[in-house]
Amino acid sequence: MAETRDVVIFDTTLRDGEQAPGFSMRVDEKIRMARELERLGVDIIEAGFPIASEADAEAVRLVATEVRRPVIAGLSRCATADIDCAGIALKPAARPRIHTFIATSDLHLERKLRITREACVEAAVDAVRRARQYTDDVQFSAEDATRSEADFLCLVVERVIDAGATTVNLPDTVGYSTPDEIEAFFRAIIERVPNAHRALFSTHCHDDLGLAVANSLAAVRAGVSQIECTINGIGERAGNASLEEIVMVSRVRPDRAAFRTRIDTREIYAASQLLQAVTGEPVQANKAIVGRNAFAHEAGIHQDGVLKDRRTYEIMRPEDVGVPRMTLVLGKHSGRHAVQRRCEELGFQLTRFEVDRVYRQMIALADRTKSVSDADLAAIVSVVRQDVPALRPGTLLAKARPGPRIVRVPRRDAPAAPELGYGHGV
Ligand code: KIV
Ligand code: ZN
């Protein structure tokens, strides 16, 4: 088994994440998020891009003032005004980092920046030197690094390290690389740059092909010791590598991903929920680790297995990532065992006969609705216990637990809930 290394988590939820359409945050929201990131245990919080706007500069300044344990980073282009703005915003920080970047691919140099390679090297070196006047902790990023010509990229990296960069980040800016490629890429750069040992290397992968997490893990295999990522994987276009996925791979599969982070995984769910609340952007139901179905089991065979031994269908415990409890979603694929367990959790001890009848009625309801809520189940139990022969369409029920309520069973020819209100939204 490979030796376990420590890897630094650089969280860019408040910068790369925040700059994606629909994800902008107010200053007070950024501060709440930054406090949560501190509880989560990230090593570095990239709080914003101070030159971008007054609000961004203010957010960086306030995060730097109020959040004291992690390093606080501010982004800047390789331009004097940007660096000065970042340096000023970061002044209150206990541990400030200036993160300066310039593109190094010929495509970006020729078509976007319209500068020569020589001008690029000069700007990069000048920026790093200027940033060092504000702090000893300077990160340089070669934007579009993975599409840059290797010899030129090696030259830039060598020169910025000489100029005082302490971290060198080589982003897969457009999410174009594959894991085998990224691994070979980092191995080559680290081996070829003569002063590589004087800096820490970092990976920053975008998810355009859905490979950001796999690429980040591949970079670590090649010797990288900082991973840039975001909560819920938010970020430009398809997003960045998702923090929760990277961290949980290292926890669940230390045999294949031999690195350690300082993340308190029990805070993952809270961080994800807060971000969703602040941005108003929910994650998809099946999102790994934090999606609402990530620990939900509906299929009867799965529910039965999990109830007997959760390891049959769960590779991590929900409580380890802060998810309150295992969710057994009752639906048309559920089995008797799950129905019985949920009834017990709701306080109903059923006979085998009752379980059977409740189960049948639950399935009949689930055929019409996506899932069956606790209130629905309680209503069904009530019906069964009142010995109503069968729950026929149109039957009106009363006094279901918990709390009195009226429930109408949908008619076969009627539209599905919620119009009929069979427990949904109660
Ligand atoms: O994707 C990217 O290249 C970036 C840099 C600014 C680090 O976000
Ligand atoms: Zn990015």
Side-chain angles (χ1 to χ4, degrees):
M1 204 161 97
E3 192 195 329
T4 302
R5 293 190 296 121
D6 287 322
V7 161
V8 167
I9 295 293
F10 178 114
D11 181 279
T12 183
T13 305
L14 302 181
R15 197 279 298 169
D16 207 317
E18 200 256 355
Q19 76 194 42
F23 288 89
S24 65
M25 293 173 226
R26 294 193 314 261
V27 174
D28 60 308
E29 293 169 334
K30 277 194 163 191
I31 291 162
R32 276 169 69 202
M33 267 315 294
R35 290 208 183 99
E36 180 53 45
L37 293 171
E38 183 178 39
R39 274 194 291 281
L40 182 63
V42 308
D43 300 281
I44 300 138
I45 295 175
E46 186 164 50
F49 190 2
I51 196 85
S53 69
E54 286 288 335
D56 244 38
E58 178 71 350
V60 172
R61 195 181 65 73
L62 286 174
V63 170
T65 307
E66 296 192 19
V67 180
R68 308 300 292 175
R69 191 199 54 77
V71 169
I72 307 298
L75 186 68
S76 71
R77 289 166 298 188
C78 286
T80 306
D82 283 42
I83 292 160
D84 292 348
C85 190
I88 292 163
L90 287 166
K91 205 155 193 258
R95 300 161 69 202
R97 171 178 296 189
I98 295 182
H99 175 195
T100 187
F101 77 99
I102 191 166
T104 50
S105 68
D106 288 332
L107 180 63
H108 278 238
L109 291 181
E110 286 163 19
R111 313 292 299 185
K112 182 184 80 174
L113 298 177
R114 304 211 162 123
I115 59 170
T116 61
R117 285 182 174 188
E118 290 69 33
C120 168
V121 176
E122 198 182 321
V125 166
D126 287 350
V128 170
R129 287 206 183 111
R130 189 161 189 101
R132 282 297 300 249
Q133 290 171 11
Y134 289 96
T135 170
D136 289 343
D137 187 346
V138 173
Q139 171 167 330
F140 172 79
S141 284
E143 192 189 11
D144 208 19
T146 53
R147 293 194 302 170
S148 302
E149 196 265 317
D151 287 342
F152 177 61
L153 184 60
C154 285
L155 173 77
V156 175
V157 171
E158 182 183 350
R159 296 288 299 278
V160 294
I161 294 174
D162 271 344
T166 44
T167 301
V168 173
N169 181 41
L170 302 179
D172 186 29
T173 301
V174 289
Y176 180 70
S177 298
T178 60
D180 54 325
E181 225 176 352
I182 285 266
E183 188 172 344
F185 166 80
F186 272 104
R187 281 191 197 286
I189 303 287
I190 294 171
E191 196 180 293
R192 288 176 55 188
V193 171
N195 54 4
H197 59 282
R198 285 177 21 213
L200 190 144
F201 279 79
S202 165
T203 184
H204 173 115
C205 297
H206 279 270
D207 208 29
D208 299 66
L209 291 174
L211 291 172
V213 169
N215 284 340
S216 306
L217 300 176
V220 172
R221 280 198 296 279
V224 158
S225 42
Q226 172 176 293
I227 303 178
E228 301 201 0
C229 47
T230 59
I231 304 294
N232 299 341
I234 70 169
E236 283 282 4
R237 304 180 311 281
N240 287 76
S242 134
L243 180 149
E244 58 276 11
E245 293 174 24
I246 286 168
V247 169
M248 290 317 289
V249 173
S250 76
R251 293 295 160 95
V252 175
R253 297 303 309 271
D255 54 330
R256 311 302 301 178
F259 65 89
R260 241 186 329 253
T261 69
R262 270 187 282 269
I263 297 298
D264 177 354
T265 61
R266 292 163 307 176
E267 286 294 326
I268 283 178
Y269 189 68
S272 167
Q273 291 288 309
L274 179 60
L275 182 62
Q276 294 177 61
V278 156
T279 59
E281 290 286 345
V283 296
Q284 84 243 27
N286 63 324
K287 165 77 179 67
I289 322 291
V290 293
R292 95 171 165 269
N293 286 356
F295 295 96
H297 306 278
E298 184 184 329
I301 294 170
H302 288 215
Q303 291 185 336
D304 186 49
V306 167
L307 290 170
K308 287 174 176 150
D309 185 334
R310 59 166 188 83
R311 292 170 304 174
T312 51
Y313 290 101
E314 279 184 358
I315 58 166
M316 58 197 131
R317 298 186 312 171
E319 55 271 32
D320 289 345
V321 294
V323 171
R325 67 184 159 88
M326 179 177 76
T327 322
L328 287 181
V329 177
L330 294 183
K332 63 180 180 183
H333 304 295
S334 300
R336 283 177 175 72
H337 193 176
V339 170
Q340 181 177 12
R341 173 69 67 93
R342 192 74 203 123
C343 285
E344 283 167 8
E345 285 168 2
L346 294 173
F348 302 115
Q349 297 299 329
L350 304 183
T351 64
R352 272 182 64 185
F353 176 70
E354 286 172 332
V355 169
D356 195 55
R357 295 189 64 192
V358 169
Y359 168 73
R360 285 167 200 273
Q361 296 203 27
M362 189 283 293
I363 293 291
L365 173 62
D367 266 343
R368 296 184 173 85
T369 58
K370 273 194 170 176
S371 60
V372 176
S373 70
D374 288 348
D376 294 331
L377 198 59
I380 293 172
V381 171
S382 169
V383 169
V384 166
R385 290 221 159 137
Q386 286 165 34
D387 203 23
V388 176
L391 203 58
R392 281 192 298 272
T395 309
L396 202 60
L397 307 173
K399 280 203 296 186
R401 286 181 55 187
R405 58 197 292 279
I406 305 279
V407 184
R408 189 185 296 277
V409 180
R411 302 175 65 91
R412 276 213 168 275
D413 54 349
E419 289 88 334
L420 290 160
Y422 194 98
H424 287 268
V426 176

